């Protein structure tokens, strides 16, 4: 399912420097022989120009970690999709749980960001996921369905052009991972929801994110509805990220 082949995306979050990025990107690029999955890295906005030039002509695509829901104008501090396009940005994470949690992003804001990205030709990676309290209250499916429903409602038939990332909030950066079976069952729910919304749901890659690492990637990627991964911490170490790219290339 999803685009043909798995999609592995590194989310660097607020990490990096000119020197560190140059060495991490060159270590990744130098290790990509034998990698046949799709791969991307999402960098902090100030480093997109640097990454664009280092990644030019390579098989590693460039992504951003957020986009503005607005087109242009009086939105101090925000970065528009057209600006991202100037740096050959192909993907943008929208609705990461850290944005929802620390910046108050609602389902509607996230849906508008996805719409803005699609209109600019950037593939939004729409993050959904339940908190620990929601999981313990048995609300996992209801929460992720509500989050995805907002994006479907706003984007109509364009929904087949998005990427979805299922990221249980309690698994992000904690070292805790959902079991492959639980991940698969949530992904199947999301797939069914997409199928009800579009005849082209098979085009949508559904990624898993949350403490994915070199040791657990293969068992997660083996699930039928897991089309790839969104990787935070482990994407900052070239050997780990490369081993996950290879797990996704089997
Ligand atoms: C993320 O932030 O998208 C993520 C999955 O982080 P980590 O891999 O560090 O849990």
């Amino acid at each position: 399912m999803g685009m043909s082949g798995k999609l592995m995306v590194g989310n660097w979050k607020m990490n990096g420097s000119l020197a560190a990025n140059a060495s991490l990107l060159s270590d990744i690029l130098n290790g990509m022989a034998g990698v046949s999955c799709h791969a991307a890295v999402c960098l902090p906005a100030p480093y997109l120009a640097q990454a664009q030039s280092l990644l030019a002509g390579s098989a590693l695509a460039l992504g951003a970690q957020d986009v503005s829901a607005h087109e242009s104008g009086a939105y101090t501090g925000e970065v528009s999709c057209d600006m991202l396009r100037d740096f050959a940005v192909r993907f943008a994470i929208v609705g990461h749980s850290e944005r929802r949690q620390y910046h108050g992003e609602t389902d509607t804001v996230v849906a508008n960001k996805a719409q803005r990205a699609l209109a600019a030709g950037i593939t939004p990676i729409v993050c959904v996921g339940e908190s620990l309290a929601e999981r313990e209250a048995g609300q996992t499916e209801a929460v992720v369905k509500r989050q995805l429903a907002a994006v479907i409602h706003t984007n109509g038939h364009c929904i087949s052009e998005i990427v979805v990332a299922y990221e249980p909030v309690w698994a992000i950066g904690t070292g805790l991972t959902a079991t492959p079976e639980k991940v698969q069952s949530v992904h199947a729910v999301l797939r069914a929801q997409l199928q009800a919304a579009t005849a082209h749901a098979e085009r949508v890659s559904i990624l898993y994110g949350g403490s994915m690492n070199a040791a657990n990637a293969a068992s997660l990627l083996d699930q039928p509805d897991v089309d790839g991964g969104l990787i935070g911490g482990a994407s900052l170490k070239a050997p780990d990220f490369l081993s996950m790219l290879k797990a996704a290339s089997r």
Side-chain angles (χ1 to χ4, degrees):
M1 292 280 198
M3 60 171 81
S4 101
K6 307 263 189 206
L7 169 63
M8 301 295 277
V9 180
N11 172 16
W12 288 14
K13 311 196 189 198
M14 198 171 71
N15 294 291
S17 65
L18 286 173
N21 303 345
S23 108
L24 178 52
L25 289 175
S26 100
D27 288 350
I28 295 170
L29 292 176
N30 288 334
M32 290 219 1
V35 169
S36 60
C37 67
H38 302 277
V41 282
C42 297
L43 269 69
Y47 297 123
L48 292 173
Q50 178 198 21
Q52 179 191 18
S53 80
L54 293 175
L55 299 181
S58 81
L60 191 57
L62 186 55
Q65 297 175 10
D66 185 28
V67 296
S68 176
H70 306 285
E71 196 169 352
S72 68
Y75 301 101
T76 300
E78 297 206 27
V79 176
S80 76
C81 288
D82 285 347
M83 294 171 186
L84 297 177
R85 288 286 300 171
D86 274 343
F87 298 96
V89 165
R90 298 254 317 276
F91 296 95
I93 298 170
V94 300
H96 192 280
S97 64
E98 289 152 17
R99 302 290 317 171
R100 293 179 190 262
Q101 222 179 318
Y102 309 141
H103 300 271
E105 291 191 11
T106 61
D107 293 341
T108 305
V109 167
V110 174
N112 291 341
K113 289 184 170 195
Q115 184 178 41
R116 193 64 70 189
L118 287 169
I122 291 172
T123 300
I125 300 172
V126 177
C127 300
V128 300
E130 81 287 0
S131 67
L132 185 58
E134 288 163 340
R135 167 161 290 250
E136 285 172 347
Q139 293 169 346
T140 297
E141 288 188 12
V143 168
V144 299
K145 284 171 85 171
R146 186 202 76 222
Q147 292 172 330
L148 183 58
V151 179
I152 290 173
H153 175 77
T154 301
N155 290 279
H157 67 274
C158 294
I159 202 68
S160 60
E161 306 306 318
I162 73 168
V163 168
V164 174
Y166 169 53
E167 299 208 307
V169 177
W170 50 270
I172 296 178
T174 57
L176 303 170
T177 343
T179 63
E181 296 69 28
K182 287 211 172 111
V183 170
Q184 167 57 27
S185 81
V186 176
H187 281 224
V189 165
L190 295 169
R191 181 83 65 199
Q193 190 178 3
L194 290 163
Q195 273 160 350
T198 168
H200 304 291
E202 80 286 351
R203 282 193 208 153
V204 179
S205 292
I206 306 179
L207 315 182
Y208 169 77
S211 298
M212 196 187 251
N213 59 37
N216 64 25
S219 64
L220 291 158
L221 293 166
D222 282 344
Q223 299 302 312
D225 286 299
V226 176
D227 302 317
L230 181 55
I231 304 132
S235 73
L236 294 169
K237 295 175 204 134
D240 294 40
F241 190 56
L242 285 166
S243 116
M244 300 165 82
L245 295 183
K246 280 164 193 158
S249 301
R250 293 165 301 151

